[in-house]
Amino acid sequence: MENTISKLDEHRSTTPSKWRENAEWRMANKSWMRYSQRIAMMMLDKMEELGLTQKTLAERMDCSQQYISRVLKGTENLSLETISKIENALHLEILEPAFAPR
Protein backbone atom coordinates (compact mmCIF):
# COMPACT_ATOMS: atom_id res chain seq x y z
CA MET A 1 0.00 0.00 0.00
CA GLU A 2 2.82 2.42 0.88
CA ASN A 3 4.42 1.71 -2.48
CA THR A 4 1.22 2.73 -4.29
CA ILE A 5 0.87 5.91 -2.27
CA SER A 6 4.49 6.89 -2.88
CA LYS A 7 4.05 6.33 -6.64
CA LEU A 8 0.92 8.50 -6.62
CA ASP A 9 2.77 11.19 -4.69
CA GLU A 10 5.46 11.23 -7.39
CA HIS A 11 2.83 12.29 -9.94
CA ARG A 12 1.03 14.83 -7.76
CA SER A 13 1.02 18.34 -9.16
CA THR A 14 2.92 21.00 -7.27
CA THR A 15 0.38 23.67 -8.22
CA PRO A 16 -3.03 23.71 -6.55
CA SER A 17 -6.07 22.78 -8.61
CA LYS A 18 -8.42 25.54 -9.68
CA TRP A 19 -11.41 23.28 -10.27
CA ARG A 20 -13.46 24.99 -7.55
CA GLU A 21 -12.80 28.49 -8.92
CA ASN A 22 -13.58 27.31 -12.45
CA ALA A 23 -16.82 25.65 -11.33
CA GLU A 24 -17.89 28.75 -9.41
CA TRP A 25 -17.10 30.95 -12.43
CA ARG A 26 -19.18 28.68 -14.71
CA MET A 27 -22.12 28.81 -12.29
CA ALA A 28 -21.92 32.61 -11.98
CA ASN A 29 -21.81 33.03 -15.77
CA LYS A 30 -24.19 30.23 -16.75
CA SER A 31 -26.88 32.41 -18.35
CA TRP A 32 -24.72 34.17 -20.97
CA MET A 33 -22.54 31.09 -21.49
CA ARG A 34 -25.59 29.21 -22.79
CA TYR A 35 -25.90 31.78 -25.58
CA SER A 36 -22.18 31.68 -26.26
CA GLN A 37 -22.28 27.89 -26.56
CA ARG A 38 -25.24 28.01 -28.96
CA ILE A 39 -23.44 30.55 -31.13
CA ALA A 40 -20.30 28.37 -31.10
CA MET A 41 -22.35 25.37 -32.28
CA MET A 42 -23.96 27.44 -35.05
CA MET A 43 -20.52 28.61 -36.12
CA LEU A 44 -19.05 25.11 -36.15
CA ASP A 45 -21.96 23.80 -38.23
CA LYS A 46 -21.63 26.64 -40.74
CA MET A 47 -17.84 26.34 -40.90
CA GLU A 48 -18.18 22.63 -41.65
CA GLU A 49 -20.81 23.35 -44.31
CA LEU A 50 -18.56 25.96 -45.97
CA GLY A 51 -15.34 23.98 -45.45
CA LEU A 52 -13.73 26.81 -43.47
CA THR A 53 -10.85 26.50 -41.03
CA GLN A 54 -10.41 28.61 -37.92
CA LYS A 55 -7.59 30.43 -39.69
CA THR A 56 -9.77 31.30 -42.68
CA LEU A 57 -12.58 32.52 -40.44
CA ALA A 58 -10.10 34.61 -38.45
CA GLU A 59 -8.95 36.25 -41.69
CA ARG A 60 -12.56 36.98 -42.67
CA MET A 61 -13.25 38.52 -39.25
CA ASP A 62 -9.90 40.34 -39.04
CA CYS A 63 -8.92 38.73 -35.75
CA SER A 64 -6.52 36.02 -34.57
CA GLN A 65 -7.04 32.29 -34.93
CA GLN A 66 -6.52 32.05 -31.17
CA TYR A 67 -9.54 34.31 -30.60
CA ILE A 68 -11.66 32.14 -32.91
CA SER A 69 -10.56 29.10 -30.91
CA ARG A 70 -11.73 30.77 -27.67
CA VAL A 71 -15.06 31.71 -29.26
CA LEU A 72 -15.59 28.14 -30.47
CA LYS A 73 -15.08 26.83 -26.93
CA GLY A 74 -18.33 28.59 -26.03
CA THR A 75 -16.95 30.44 -23.03
CA GLU A 76 -16.26 33.82 -24.63
CA ASN A 77 -18.53 36.72 -23.66
CA LEU A 78 -19.27 38.02 -27.16
CA SER A 79 -19.96 41.65 -27.93
CA LEU A 80 -22.61 42.71 -30.44
CA GLU A 81 -19.77 43.84 -32.70
CA THR A 82 -18.22 40.36 -32.64
CA ILE A 83 -21.57 38.68 -33.25
CA SER A 84 -22.07 40.97 -36.25
CA LYS A 85 -18.62 40.03 -37.59
CA ILE A 86 -19.46 36.34 -37.19
CA GLU A 87 -22.75 36.82 -39.05
CA ASN A 88 -21.02 38.63 -41.92
CA ALA A 89 -18.09 36.22 -42.18
CA LEU A 90 -20.28 33.10 -42.18
CA HIS A 91 -23.42 34.51 -43.85
CA LEU A 92 -25.25 33.37 -40.76
CA GLU A 93 -28.17 34.88 -38.84
CA ILE A 94 -27.61 34.85 -35.12
CA LEU A 95 -29.46 37.91 -33.84
CA GLU A 96 -31.64 38.80 -36.79
CA PRO A 97 -34.60 36.51 -35.94
CA ALA A 98 -34.74 37.97 -32.43
CA PHE A 99 -35.04 41.51 -33.77
CA ALA A 100 -37.23 40.85 -36.83
CA PRO A 101 -40.57 42.73 -36.85
CA ARG A 102 -43.57 40.58 -35.97
Side-chain angles (χ1 to χ4, degrees):
M1 181 74 162
E2 281 184 38
N3 192 23
T4 303
I5 292 173
S6 65
K7 285 188 180 200
L8 289 172
D9 281 340
E10 288 175 21
H11 298 286
R12 183 175 55 198
S13 176
T14 57
T15 58
S17 173
K18 295 189 180 211
W19 71 267
R20 181 178 298 277
E21 292 88 354
N22 292 337
E24 288 170 351
W25 182 86
R26 284 192 306 275
M27 289 300 291
N29 295 288
K30 186 161 75 171
S31 61
W32 68 258
M33 281 183 57
R34 250 187 248 126
Y35 292 112
S36 184
Q37 290 165 352
R38 286 184 197 150
I39 290 170
M41 292 304 299
M42 291 172 73
M43 290 173 66
L44 286 166
D45 288 343
K46 192 67 170 186
M47 288 170 66
E48 184 178 343
E49 178 185 317
L50 298 174
L52 294 179
T53 63
Q54 289 183 16
K55 183 180 178 187
T56 306
L57 180 58
E59 290 168 358
R60 286 185 178 193
M61 290 178 55
D62 194 29
C63 65
S64 70
Q65 183 273 326
Q66 291 82 3
Y67 181 69
I68 296 298
S69 177
R70 290 197 319 264
V71 170
L72 293 175
K73 287 180 183 175
T75 56
E76 195 69 19
N77 192 353
L78 304 170
S79 69
L80 290 173
E81 179 183 9
T82 300
I83 292 170
S84 179
K85 286 182 179 183
I86 293 167
E87 288 180 328
N88 291 330
L90 293 175
H91 309 290
L92 183 65
E93 287 190 350
I94 297 170
L95 294 179
E96 304 303 332
F99 295 107
R102 295 179 183 202

